[in-house]
Every structure is written in C-alpha cells, then in structure tokens.
C-alpha cells in the first residue's frame, strides 16, 4: 500500500506477477541488445551469465512488489525499495555463484582422484562424498531462501513467530530448489548439445535456455506465493525505511558492483573521499623513493605497487590532473625496482632499459622517449633532476604533440612531485 498524505492506494495483486516478469524481460532485452547476445562461440559459461543477469532482475522485481504490497510505504519508498531489492538480489546470486564454483572445483578434484585410483578399489565412499558435495548448492539455496523470508518480514514489520513465516520460507525454498535443478540441467544439456566438434551450438540456445529456466522457476514461485498470500494475515504495518536504508548502505560498502556503475561511482567518487576528508578513513600517502606525489588518493584510479625487497613502493600510478587538459595517466617507477612482471610476461618493451640505454649515450642530458602503439602513445622520461625514478606518461590525448605532452609532464613534476 502506498500512502501519499491522507490518501492510501492499494497495490493490485496482478502487479505481483507483472513486475517480476517485466524486470526479467527488461534484463533479457538488455542482453539481446548487447554483445553478449551475439557470441560467436556460445557455451555453458554464456548460459550461466544469462541466468545470473535475468535471475537477479526477477528476484529484485519480486522482492520490490512483495514488500510494497505487504507494508505501508510512502511516496518516496519505491526508489529506496528498488535500490534495496536490486542490491539484495545481486548479493544473493553472487553468494550462490561463489559456492557453485567451489562445488565444481571439488567435483573435478574428486573425479580426478577417482580416475587415478587403482582398478578394483572401493569407490562407494567417494561417490557418497560426491553426492554430498553436489548437495552444497541446494543447502546454500535453502539458506538464502530463509534469509530472504525473514528479512522481508522484518522490513515489513510482520511477526516472525507465525505460520506465515514458515510458508514464506517453503515457497522460497521450492522456487530455489527448482531453479537450481533447472539451471544445472540446462548447463548439462548445453554442454552436451553438439554431437562432435563438427556441429556448433546455435547462438540463441544459451539465452533461450536461461529465459526458460528463470521463467519456470519464477512462475512456480509466484504461484506458491499467491496461494500463501490468500491465507496470510492482511494486517499492514509501515515499512521500516530506516532499516532498508541501513541495508542499502551495508551493501554499498560490501559490494558496490551490486548497484552497477551507479554504486561504484557513489562509493568511490563521493562516499569514501568524504570519509577521508573528515578523517574517518585513512589516506594512504602516494610516496615513492623519497618523493611525494600531490594527487588526491582514489581507490580505483590511483595505484601503489610494492615490489621492493623491503616492502617499500616500487611504482605509483595516478591520473593526470584535469587542470592540465590532457587526460591520461602518470607512472613513476623506481630505477632500482625489479623488472616489470607484465612486461616480462607479455614481451612488452621495458622502458627502464630503453631509457638507460639512451641516457648512457648522453649522461648529462635528460632521456626522453616517445612510444606509439595502435591503442595509445607513451612518453617515457629519465630526468637528471629526479635521479631515483623514471616517469611515464600514457593514454593522453593523441592529438597532442610530443612537445606539448613533455611540457605538461614537466610542469606536473614541478608542481605535484616534491621531496618528502
């Protein structure tokens, strides 16, 4: 029920079916319109991804409309409920995915052990263990079903010690069990679809399988919930908005990606910088080889690598400040740092060696190198005024001339890099 001033509006029951299906349809259309729906080599991994995305949407839609129907909410509460249910659904699906992945790894390890066992040895205990391992997803699903049942009743202000609580749990458990069984059955069918390597899996099969599985589990869940609601208590209490807000904040800190790019930007661009400004969170210093880089710390945009034998900083990477109008990133790396592991692994050019070779030819001059690839341009410098570090300027505007980029980088070093 929605309360606006002195007026109250009852949410019609048919919305309890329409909203979850609409959320699932929206997620499906998003997948179709994205590159995920046109994979050249579709596989079971694509199927699992589709199931995850569509299931998150349908669960969020169900929780949103269910809480709205079972409590009295104000006009602004739907937005809070949207964020809450989206975050809760994403966290629940992620938890299940983590345990499902662990189950798969345990299955593979046990199967390899069985394959390596001696012929004629008893395998009954191993098969019993295998059955127990494969029960883990169902146990995790039961735990998630219980948490959702109790959490929804707490938020809606409904009593926990009632028969309706058990009915809610059984409905959630039945839907979760069917969903898990169908998900793994679908994955098995897709994995064994081709009759040999000559046949390729049609691109529409993983998405169609995911839609079928989620739709079947959702319809079963909605049917069970509909039967329960007809016998449930009709008493409505105000939604505990303060608790919903606290849960949203907890999810934002625990898993900001549950809210998509909005959650990531909110946490790392606003919340954490604000907490650092009031000294609630510590601000790690951007210090390397006796220099301090005067750039605001950002959890995602600044990077500190500690590879020195004594655990000290070997490289600092920061975004180029906007006031210089070039974009890009600046990397400051100690000259005595261990070789770049990524450069060694992927055969990339080691800028430190190139700079050393260039400066050895003219020890009294700064060494400046310009390296261009199809993706970006890199300016590498070894300066006499900074004898302990090498400086790299990457991903700046490609329309900028090398001279302008070098001048901007030297200005940055004068204004933002100082001795500690």
């Amino acid at each position: 029920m929605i309360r606006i001033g002195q007026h109250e509006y009852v949410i019609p029951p048919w919305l309890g079916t329409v909203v979850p299906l609409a959320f699932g349809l929206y997620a499906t259309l998003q997948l179709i319109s994205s590159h995920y729906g046109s994979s050249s080599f579709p596989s079971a991994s694509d199927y699992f991804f589709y199931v995850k995305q569509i299931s998150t949407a349908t669960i969020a839609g169900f929780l949103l409309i269910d809480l709205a129907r079972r409590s009295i909410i104000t006009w602004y509460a739907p937005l809070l409920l949207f964020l809450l249910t989206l975050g809760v659904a994403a966290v629940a699906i992620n938890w299940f995915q983590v345990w499902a992945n662990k189950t798969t790894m345990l299955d593979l390890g046990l199967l390899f052990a069985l394959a390596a066992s001696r012929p004629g040895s008893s395998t009954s205990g191993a098969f019993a263990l295998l059955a127990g391992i494969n029960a883990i997803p169902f146990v995790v699903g039961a735990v998630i079903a219980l948490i959702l049942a109790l959490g929804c009743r707490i938020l809606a202000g409904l009593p926990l010690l009632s028969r309706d609580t058990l009915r809610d749990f059984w409905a959630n458990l039945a839907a979760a069990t069917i969903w898990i069984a169908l998900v793994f059955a679908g994955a098995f069918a897709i994995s064994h679809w081709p009759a040999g390597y000559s046949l390729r899996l049609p691109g529409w099969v993983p998405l169609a399988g995911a839609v079928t599985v989620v739709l079947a589990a959702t319809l079963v869940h909605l049917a069970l919930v509909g039967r329960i609601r007809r016998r449930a208590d009709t008493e409505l209490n105000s939604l505990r908005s303060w608790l919903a807000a606290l849960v949203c904040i907890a999810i934002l800190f625990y898993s900001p990606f549950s809210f998509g790019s909005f959650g990531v930007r909110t946490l790392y661009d606003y919340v954490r910088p604000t907490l650092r400004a009031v000294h609630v969170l510590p601000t790690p210093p951007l210090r390397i080889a006796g220099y301090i880089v005067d750039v605001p710390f950002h959890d995602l945009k600044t990077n500190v690598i500690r590879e020195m034998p004594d655990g000290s900083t070997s490289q600092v990477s920061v975004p180029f400040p906007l006031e210089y109008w070039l974009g890009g990133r600046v990397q400051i790396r100690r000259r005595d740092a261990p070789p770049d592991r990524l450069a060694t692994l992927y055969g990339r050019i080691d800028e430190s060696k190139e700079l050393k070779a260039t400066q050895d030819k003219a020890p009294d001059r700064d060494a400046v190198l310009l390296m261009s690839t199809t993706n970006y341009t890199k300016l590498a410098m070894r300066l006499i005024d900074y004898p302990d570090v090498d400086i790299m300027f990457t991903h700046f505007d490609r329309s900028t001339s090398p001279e302008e980029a070098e001048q901007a980088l030297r200005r940055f070093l004068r204004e933002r890099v100082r001795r500690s």
Side-chain angles (χ1 to χ4, degrees):
M1 178 183 293
I2 300 178
R3 177 178 294 165
I4 303 177
Q6 300 298 322
H7 302 281
E8 293 182 346
Y9 302 92
V10 177
I11 299 175
W14 55 268
L15 279 180
T17 301
V18 171
V19 171
L21 296 180
F23 274 47
L25 177 62
Y26 177 78
T28 303
L29 294 177
Q30 286 287 98
L31 291 172
I32 293 175
S33 63
S34 67
H35 67 280
Y36 294 108
S38 58
S39 176
S40 301
F41 299 97
S43 62
S45 61
D46 297 316
Y47 164 78
F48 280 122
F49 176 79
Y50 300 149
V51 168
K52 177 182 177 181
Q53 297 298 107
I54 301 173
S55 298
T56 301
T58 54
I59 293 173
F62 168 77
L63 293 176
L64 188 153
I65 195 64
D66 192 53
L67 285 170
R69 289 182 59 200
R70 301 170 72 187
S71 60
I72 302 174
I73 62 176
T74 54
W75 61 271
Y76 58 84
L79 177 59
L80 178 62
L81 283 179
F82 175 77
L83 294 175
L84 172 69
T85 55
L86 180 64
V88 168
V91 170
I93 293 295
N94 285 335
W95 281 353
F96 177 82
Q97 183 182 22
V98 169
W99 284 100
N101 290 340
K102 291 181 178 180
T103 300
T104 302
M105 298 304 296
L106 291 173
D107 282 342
L108 290 175
L110 188 55
L111 290 174
F112 280 126
L114 286 173
S117 61
R118 291 182 299 176
S121 59
S122 177
T123 58
S124 58
F127 281 112
L129 181 59
L130 185 64
I133 290 174
N134 285 285
I136 292 177
F138 294 93
V139 175
V140 174
V143 172
I144 293 175
L146 178 61
I147 293 175
L148 292 181
L150 296 177
C152 287
R153 295 190 68 85
I154 292 173
L155 286 169
L158 299 174
L160 296 181
L161 301 179
S162 70
R163 302 183 68 176
D164 290 335
T165 302
L166 190 59
R167 294 192 185 105
D168 290 344
F169 167 67
W170 283 118
N172 292 347
L173 179 61
T177 303
I178 294 174
W179 180 83
I180 294 170
L182 291 178
V183 164
F184 285 106
F188 180 83
I190 289 175
S191 300
H192 295 77
W193 178 290
Y197 293 101
S198 59
L199 298 180
R200 180 179 297 177
L201 185 69
W204 55 267
V205 170
L207 182 58
V211 171
T212 303
V213 166
V214 177
L215 180 62
T218 301
L219 291 178
V220 169
H221 190 206
L222 294 176
L224 292 174
V225 169
R227 293 183 59 184
I228 291 171
R229 295 292 182 267
R230 285 197 295 267
R231 293 179 294 174
D233 237 345
T234 56
E235 179 185 358
L236 297 179
N237 298 312
S238 296
L239 178 74
R240 293 173 175 171
S241 300
W242 60 271
L243 182 57
L246 288 178
V247 174
C248 286
I249 293 173
I251 294 175
L252 181 65
F253 279 93
Y254 172 74
S255 178
F257 295 95
S258 299
F259 298 113
S261 59
F262 168 78
V264 175
R265 289 197 304 268
T266 300
L267 179 63
Y268 292 109
D269 291 348
Y270 301 102
V271 176
R272 294 183 72 90
T274 300
L275 294 177
R276 287 196 171 93
V278 297
H279 305 291
V280 174
L281 288 178
T283 303
L286 299 174
R287 183 180 290 112
I288 178 172
Y291 298 96
I292 292 180
V293 184
D294 188 14
V295 173
F297 181 86
H298 191 282
D299 293 86
L300 300 181
K301 298 178 181 179
T302 56
N303 187 25
V304 177
I305 300 177
R306 305 180 186 276
E307 293 181 338
M308 301 304 294
D310 59 355
S312 60
T313 303
S314 60
Q315 178 176 305
V316 170
S317 177
V318 299
F320 205 54
L322 296 177
E323 63 190 76
Y324 298 97
W325 298 98
L326 294 182
R329 296 185 63 81
V330 177
Q331 297 176 3
I332 302 176
R333 184 174 179 84
R334 289 181 58 159
R335 297 185 185 181
D336 59 346
D340 188 350
R341 289 181 296 176
L342 293 180
T344 304
L345 181 63
Y346 295 106
R348 294 192 327 216
I349 296 175
D350 190 342
E351 294 86 359
S352 298
K353 293 182 180 179
E354 297 291 328
L355 288 170
K356 184 178 184 303
T358 301
Q359 195 171 53
D360 286 344
K361 299 176 183 178
D364 57 339
R365 298 177 59 184
D366 294 334
V368 180
L369 297 177
L370 183 67
M371 306 175 186
S372 296
T373 67
T374 56
N375 297 323
Y376 62 89
T377 302
K378 177 182 290 187
L379 183 68
M381 303 174 64
R382 175 168 285 195
L383 307 179
I384 297 175
D385 293 337
Y386 299 88
D388 301 315
V389 295
D390 291 331
I391 301 100
M392 272 73 73
F393 185 23
T394 64
H395 297 87
F396 56 87
D397 189 351
R398 301 197 70 170
S399 63
T400 305
S401 66
E403 293 77 14
E404 292 175 336
E406 181 180 345
Q407 292 175 5
L409 182 56
R410 290 180 181 273
R411 178 188 164 198
F412 168 82
L413 295 174
R414 289 194 306 270
E415 297 176 355
R416 297 299 188 104
V417 180
R418 54 185 173 81
R419 283 284 185 181
S420 57

